């Protein structure tokens, strides 16, 4: 019993510190203008398919995480504009044996987050296994184990509705790549606990004629109407559709409520209707911007004749268009500016929440010992017959934080007994990728800049440039700039004078995700076992 009390006390203490520490403010993107207004996007990072729920005066966001672990990021806000990454609801992807190997583009698709009877629920569709759910009473703590609510291929974009009469339902869409059909929305009845589907379901909307690729469904009830918010028309070019009916199975009326129009915000759709305590309505959605991924916008929203009106109707056609800036939501107080963390000085008990692995984490990939102000990445052998790093699980990555930024790190390579074959470095990861790394051979240590174009297709990694250095330690830098995310690498032996190396690299998105930046430490199959790299820090700067 004493041990349990101590453990609980430690957890509570750590959570208290986490919630009272000084807010992190990014150097490269801040949405809060500091004058009572905000600018879009509110998060300039790949929080794809965002959904948000209010619990009292707290707001919680989650997003798709696909193959990356930990998955299902949990962000918290008090004012709907300033967000902090506080947790992940899914430490490991299930089934474990499947996701121990990189599964690019698979895994957690388009989640829905809801609050019901004192617990926060998240539902998501895995296109290969079915619809899962996790829940918790404490979003900062450990979430329950995933429950497979509905088994099947191609079942995606689920959202529950806990009706006021005690009944519960689930709306979902279909992935054509697995189900053989798409552009359909179906409703199933589920048990009141939300853990099991009770019937085969009924199709309630067919978008083939007017709303192709209708998906991303979200369920709501207001003024006696059942609402399904659903994007259509495709990720980069589509619009936000809203359906309503007095009967949960329809027939549903339809209305397009948000479109690009004459704005620069392509494909504004798929997100969350959220209200404040005072009854203001707001809508979160994403915008696909290529290498950076799907970034998060916030639109003002009102109701007219029981239909939502989003953004501003700039061209007078009755359909809202996204705004680039607006007065902040009225939440009754002014809260400090805060952004999701990017920089990591590795002084904490563990690595920062911004980091995700390329597959389920193995405990032997890294060490972060209490009191040590560095991260140790062990030299893990690349899987046999892999021509590049695409299918390497132990890549430690985070999202691009803005269209323009610089990343800096210091890496020290300890090959131990190996004469060659150990490499560690900085990586820009996507379907194409580029690296800047430190490696070694019988003559000593050297820096190399590499790239793998069409890495997803198995092309070999190519060395663009290579230089000898005097020690086993080096400073690395990459500058990312412009609408096409052009990346230029630099290195230094003393941390003061940096030298350009290699050639500019155009970042490319991953499978359904934006490009990522991060760290790796690998070994060839032939090299002697052992070896590691120590990372002093990872800084995101202007």
């Amino acid at each position: 019993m004493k041990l349990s009390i101590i453990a609980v006390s430690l957890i509570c203490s750590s959570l208290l510190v986490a919630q009272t520490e000084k807010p992190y403010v990014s150097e490269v993107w801040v949405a809060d203008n500091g004058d009572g207004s905000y600018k879009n996007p509110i998060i300039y990072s790949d929080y794809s398919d965002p959904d948000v729920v209010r619990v009292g005066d707290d707001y919680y966001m989650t997003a798709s995480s696909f193959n990356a672990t930990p998955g299902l990021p949990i962000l918290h806000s008090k004012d709907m504009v300033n967000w902090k990454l506080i947790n992940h609801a899914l430490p490991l992807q299930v089934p474990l044996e499947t996701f121990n190997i990189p599964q690019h583009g698979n895994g957690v698709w388009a989640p829905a987050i809801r609050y019901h009877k004192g617990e926060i629920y998240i539902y998501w569709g895995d296109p290969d296994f079915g619809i899962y759910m996790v829940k918790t009473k404490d979003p900062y703590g450990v979430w329950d184990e995933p429950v497979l609510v509905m088994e099947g291929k191609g079942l995606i974009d689920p959202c529950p509705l806990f009706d006021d009469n005690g009944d519960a339902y689930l709306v979902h869409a279909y992935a054509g790549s697995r189900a053989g059909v798409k552009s359909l929305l179906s409703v199933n009845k589920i048990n009141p606990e939300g853990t099991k589907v009770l019937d085969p379901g009924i199709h309630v909307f067919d978008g083939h004629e007017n709303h192709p690729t209708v998906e991303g469904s979200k369920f709501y009830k207001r003024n006696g109407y059942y609402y399904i918010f659903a994007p259509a028309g495709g990720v980069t070019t589509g619009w936000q559709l809203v359906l309503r009916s007095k009967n949960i199975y329809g027939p549903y009326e339809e209305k397009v409520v948000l479109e690009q129009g004459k704005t620069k915000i392509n494909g504004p759709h798929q997100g969350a209707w959220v209200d404040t305590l005072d009854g203001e309505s707001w809508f979160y959605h994403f915008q696909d911007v290529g290498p950076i991924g799907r970034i998060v916008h916030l639109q003002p929203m009102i109701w007219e004749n029981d239909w939502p009106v989003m953004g501003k109707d700039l061209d007078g056609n009755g359909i809202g268009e996204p705004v680039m800036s607006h007065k902040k939501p009225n939440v009754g107080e002014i809260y400090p500016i805060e952004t999701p963390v990017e920089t990591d000085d590795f002084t904490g008990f563990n690595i920062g929440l911004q980091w995700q692995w390329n597959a389920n984490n193995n405990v032997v990939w890294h060490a972060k010992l209490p009191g040590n102000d560095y991260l140790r990445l062990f030299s893990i052998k690349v899987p046999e017959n892999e021509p590049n790093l695409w299918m390497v699980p132990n890549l430690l990555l985070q999202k691009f934080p803005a269209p323009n930024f610089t990343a800096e790190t210091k890496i020290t390579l300890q090959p131990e007994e190996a004469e060659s074959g150990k490499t560690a470095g900085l990586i820009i990861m996507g379907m194409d990728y580029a690296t800047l790394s430190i490696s070694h051979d019988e003559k000593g240590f050297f820096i190399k800049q590499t790239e793998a174009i069409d890495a997803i297709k198995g092309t070999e990694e190519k060395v663009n440039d290579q230089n000898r250095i005097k020690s086993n330690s080096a400073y690395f830098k990459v500058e990312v700039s412009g609408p096409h995310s052009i990346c230029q690498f630099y290195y230094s032996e003393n941390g003061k004078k940096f030298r350009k190396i290699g050639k500019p690299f155009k970042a490319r998105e991953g499978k359904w995700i934006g490009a990522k930046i991060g760290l790796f430490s690998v070994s060839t199959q032939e090299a002697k076992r052992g070896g590691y790299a120590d990372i002093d820090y990872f800084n995101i700067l202007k």
Side-chain angles (χ1 to χ4, degrees):
M1 179 62 72
K2 289 182 179 178
L3 287 175
S4 298
I5 293 172
I6 291 170
V8 169
S9 298
L10 286 172
I11 291 171
C12 292
S13 297
S14 65
L15 291 181
L16 181 62
V17 170
Q19 295 178 57
T20 57
E21 63 188 8
K22 183 179 178 181
Y24 178 86
V25 180
S26 172
E27 290 189 20
V28 295
W29 187 261
V30 176
D32 192 324
N33 292 324
D35 60 0
S37 69
Y38 70 92
K39 63 183 176 184
N40 275 316
I42 57 161
I43 304 178
Y44 216 133
S45 282
D46 186 38
Y47 286 95
S48 175
D49 313 316
D51 197 25
V52 180
V53 68
R54 179 176 61 80
V55 181
D57 60 356
D58 294 285
Y59 299 86
Y60 297 97
M61 179 189 295
T62 191
S64 297
S65 50
F66 298 98
N67 63 291
T69 59
L72 287 174
I74 306 298
L75 298 96
H76 171 259
S77 178
K78 279 288 192 178
D79 64 3
M80 305 179 73
V81 170
N82 293 285
W83 290 90
K84 177 181 180 179
L85 181 61
I86 62 166
N87 202 355
H88 288 86
L90 192 64
L92 296 172
Q93 296 254 25
V94 291
L96 295 179
E97 61 277 9
T98 297
F99 289 97
N100 288 340
I101 300 169
Q103 299 287 332
H104 294 280
N106 301 334
V108 176
W109 286 22
I113 185 168
R114 292 292 182 268
Y115 182 71
H116 178 61
K117 291 188 175 179
E119 294 185 293
I120 298 176
Y121 291 71
I122 299 178
Y123 289 75
W124 76 93
D126 181 312
D128 295 305
F129 295 99
I131 293 170
Y132 288 94
M133 180 272 289
V134 291
K135 62 185 177 71
T136 187
K137 293 181 180 178
D138 176 15
Y140 288 84
V142 177
W143 291 60
D144 292 354
E145 292 291 321
V147 174
L148 185 58
V149 176
M150 183 179 183
E151 186 176 359
K153 285 270 189 181
L155 306 175
I156 59 169
D157 304 355
C159 183
L161 187 142
F162 298 99
D163 212 343
D164 40 32
N165 63 0
D167 290 337
Y169 302 90
L170 192 74
V171 64
H172 69 85
Y174 296 88
S177 58
R178 275 75 158 187
V181 66
K182 62 175 185 175
S183 302
L184 283 175
L185 300 179
S186 298
V187 171
N188 293 79
K189 194 166 186 181
I190 57 176
N191 62 349
E193 297 77 24
T195 59
K196 185 178 181 181
V197 162
L198 302 178
D199 61 20
I202 295 174
H203 295 320
V204 296
F205 187 76
D206 185 341
H208 281 88
E209 286 79 15
N210 300 316
H211 301 286
T213 318
V214 63
E215 54 188 359
S217 45
K218 298 291 189 293
F219 234 157
Y220 306 98
K221 190 175 185 182
R222 178 185 181 274
N223 285 356
Y225 281 104
Y226 296 96
Y227 290 90
I228 300 174
F229 286 37
V235 170
T236 59
T237 58
W239 52 89
Q240 181 65 37
L241 175 70
V242 170
L243 312 173
R244 75 175 187 186
S245 175
K246 292 283 189 177
N247 188 306
I248 198 156
Y249 295 113
Y252 279 87
E253 303 173 79
E254 64 183 70
K255 184 177 177 62
V256 175
V257 296
L258 189 68
E259 64 180 2
Q260 178 175 355
K262 295 181 179 179
T263 74
K264 296 180 180 179
I265 311 303
N266 60 294
H269 57 53
Q270 186 148 331
W273 162 40
V274 187
D275 62 1
T276 68
L277 280 170
D278 288 339
E280 285 185 359
S281 286
W282 295 83
F283 183 70
Y284 290 90
H285 67 90
F286 72 69
Q287 175 197 9
D288 189 304
V289 288
I292 301 176
R294 301 175 187 180
I295 58 179
V296 184
H297 290 245
L298 177 62
Q299 301 300 331
M301 175 176 148
I302 60 173
W303 291 87
E304 291 183 354
N305 301 318
D306 286 321
W307 286 108
V309 179
M310 299 174 182
K312 299 289 184 182
D313 183 7
L314 300 176
D315 57 11
N317 69 345
I319 301 173
E321 298 173 30
V323 300
M324 288 306 298
S325 63
H326 199 273
K327 183 180 178 181
K328 290 172 61 178
N330 180 15
V331 295
E333 292 186 45
I334 298 174
Y335 290 93
I337 293 176
E338 186 165 23
T339 62
V341 173
E342 306 140 350
T343 287
D344 199 341
D345 58 11
F346 302 119
T347 56
F349 183 79
N350 208 336
I351 58 176
L353 291 171
Q354 67 268 37
W355 295 108
Q356 294 176 295
W357 298 97
N358 206 30
N360 279 338
N361 178 26
N362 188 317
V363 69
V364 302
W365 291 349
H366 83 289
K368 181 65 198 74
L369 302 181
N372 287 354
D373 57 353
Y374 60 84
L375 167 67
R376 179 160 291 175
L377 295 178
F378 295 104
S379 304
I380 305 300
K381 291 189 175 184
V382 173
E384 287 192 70
N385 302 317
E386 289 297 335
N388 59 48
L389 299 179
W390 178 253
M391 290 300 293
V392 169
N394 58 302
L395 306 182
L396 185 60
L397 307 170
Q398 63 171 281
K399 306 172 191 300
F400 273 27
N404 299 287
F405 67 95
T406 297
E408 294 183 353
T409 187
K410 181 186 178 187
I411 302 177
T412 302
L413 181 65
Q414 299 285 0
E416 295 190 293
E417 296 180 8
E419 293 183 357
S420 65
K422 309 295 179 178
T423 302
L426 182 64
I427 186 168
I428 301 289
M429 187 65 188
M431 290 187 285
D432 302 337
Y433 73 77
T435 78
L436 178 61
S437 63
I438 181 171
S439 192
H440 69 114
D441 58 19
E442 64 281 357
K443 296 180 181 179
F445 295 89
F446 58 93
I447 299 291
K448 61 180 178 179
Q449 194 275 303
T450 74
E451 66 180 16
I453 305 302
D454 276 334
I456 187 175
K457 296 181 181 178
T459 58
E460 290 191 8
E461 188 174 300
K462 174 180 115 178
V463 177
N464 290 330
D465 201 354
Q466 186 170 300
N467 291 316
R468 291 279 170 186
I469 57 174
K470 296 176 183 178
S471 74
N472 66 334
S473 185
Y475 299 82
F476 298 81
K477 180 167 71 173
V478 62
E479 295 178 349
V480 181
S481 60
H484 302 295
S485 298
I486 302 301
C487 309
Q488 178 62 60
F489 292 96
Y490 303 82
Y491 77 96
S492 172
E493 295 190 62
N494 59 15
K496 298 176 182 177
K497 185 179 179 180
F498 280 84
R499 177 178 177 180
K500 185 184 293 187
I501 184 171
K503 61 182 183 179
F505 170 75
K506 183 179 179 181
R508 185 181 175 192
E509 62 272 15
K511 191 71 177 293
W512 307 127
I513 64 174
K516 289 189 172 183
I517 185 169
L519 302 160
F520 69 99
S521 179
V522 295
S523 171
T524 62
Q525 283 284 335
E526 299 77 23
K528 287 186 178 181
R529 68 183 179 185
Y532 55 86
D534 287 339
I535 319 297
D536 281 28
Y537 55 82
F538 188 92
N539 293 337
I540 297 292
L541 313 165
K542 285 184 180 178

